Amino acid sequence: MTLLALSCISLVALAGCSSDDSSELERLAMPDPGTVEGESILSLWQGAWIAALITGAIVWGLIFYAVWHFRRRSDDEIPVQTRYNLPLEIFYTIFPIIMVVVFFSHTVRVQNEVLDDSPPDNTITVVGQQWTWTFNHPYGQSSAEDDDDEGNVWEGGNPNVDPIPVLWLPVDETTRFELRSPDVIHNFGIPGFVMRMDVMPGQQNHYQVTPKRVGEYAGKCYELCGVYHSRMLFEVKVVTRAEYDAHLQELEDAGQMTDDPILGGSFADQQVGIEDGEAE
């Protein structure tokens, strides 16, 4: 009955929603993933909610059944205070263990998919610092370029000046984010990609994504990193390979080119765990 009631409520709610609202309800408030990896995370999220709802409906149903079936039927009656049912006790001991094993196995499977370390098409070194981002693109990584002179082009923001930095990514290609911090713990996240990870001083974290459609996304820091944490915003532009290569050329023409990735800035403080000269 409980499951039927939940289904009816869902149908009524869907009937009064627009197509966008219905799609969001189907995703259970999760953004529409803009990456291949995000689809796996969304599937895990939806599966966990479905399993939780079914489990909750069964538990509530059993509770109401027990309250009704074993109720006190007269003022003179005292219900039996102890009952034993060995099969039932075995069931509610073993079944939760099975549930945990199933949930854990699916979580590990999705984790392995989204943290896949297969060789990417591109690598971008992302630096989070108080309180902005710097994005380093290896120069010459484009398959369209045969230049032997490899270097690094970069773009970043200034915490005291607008606009916020922009991260450019080629569509339908796997890009690895090498995450670095010269000061405190930050967290590099893009809600539209349904993926984020801590950026920690002294620890070289990384993950990779494969954007599946051209568009613009918002990004931000998810870790309280200081008084101006709210300024740690950035934009993401997913473009074609030709547009991406043209943007790298623009950065080179603007003189934003170095031999190695810029792992900090003049206003970044060096913390324990960063080797001397690394946060330059």
Side-chain angles (χ1 to χ4, degrees), residues 179-193:
L179 306 177
R180 304 290 185 267
S181 171
D183 40 52
V184 300
I185 299 177
H186 303 278
N187 189 289
F188 177 75
I190 304 169
F193 289 1

Side-chain angles (χ1 to χ4, degrees), residues 79-261:
V80 177
Q81 299 301 300
T82 57
R83 289 186 182 274
Y84 299 93
N85 188 317
L86 185 58
L88 182 61
E89 292 176 3
I90 294 176
F91 171 77
Y92 67 60
T93 300
I94 300 300
F95 191 70
I97 297 177
I98 296 175
M99 291 178 60
V100 170
V101 171
V102 172
F103 289 156
F104 180 78
S105 64
H106 282 288
T107 301
V108 171
R109 175 184 57 81
V110 172
Q111 177 178 287
N112 291 336
E113 291 177 0
V114 300
L115 297 180
D116 179 31
D117 268 345
S118 58
D121 300 306
N122 316 286
T123 300
I124 297 176
T125 301
V126 176
V127 181
Q129 61 190 55
Q130 294 176 316
W131 284 272
T132 190
W133 299 93
T134 301
F135 306 117
N136 297 274
H137 304 260
Y139 181 76
Q141 67 180 354
S142 168
S143 59
E145 295 181 3
D146 297 324
D147 195 343
D148 293 332
D149 296 329
E150 295 185 357
N152 175 79
V153 291
W154 62 273
E155 57 186 316
N158 186 316
N160 300 313
V161 180
D162 288 332
I164 61 177
V166 180
L167 171 62
W168 290 63
L169 299 174
V171 70
D172 295 327
E173 296 185 23
T174 302
T175 299
R176 174 179 294 178
F177 299 127
E178 294 287 349
L179 306 177
R180 304 290 185 267
S181 171
D183 40 52
V184 300
I185 299 177
H186 303 278
N187 189 289
F188 177 75
I190 304 169
F193 289 1
V194 200
M195 183 70 178
R196 59 189 178 92
M197 184 175 288
D198 277 347
V199 186
M200 305 178 65
Q203 181 168 324
Q204 300 182 354
N205 290 346
H206 69 268
Y207 71 93
Q208 51 198 44
V209 298
T210 308
K212 59 182 183 178
R213 58 175 177 267
V214 172
E216 297 184 1
Y217 302 85
K220 58 183 177 180
C221 175
Y222 282 85
E223 188 78 32
L224 183 59
C225 55
V227 65
Y228 295 121
H229 162 70
S230 61
R231 296 183 181 179
M232 298 248 349
L233 305 174
F234 61 95
E235 295 180 2
V236 179
K237 288 188 177 181
V238 179
V239 297
T240 64
R241 165 51 77 172
E243 292 174 311
Y244 180 70
D245 289 339
H247 179 65
L248 296 187
Q249 185 63 50
E250 290 176 358
L251 294 177
E252 181 190 7
D253 294 341
Q256 295 177 221
M257 187 172 182
T258 57
D259 292 334
D260 299 307

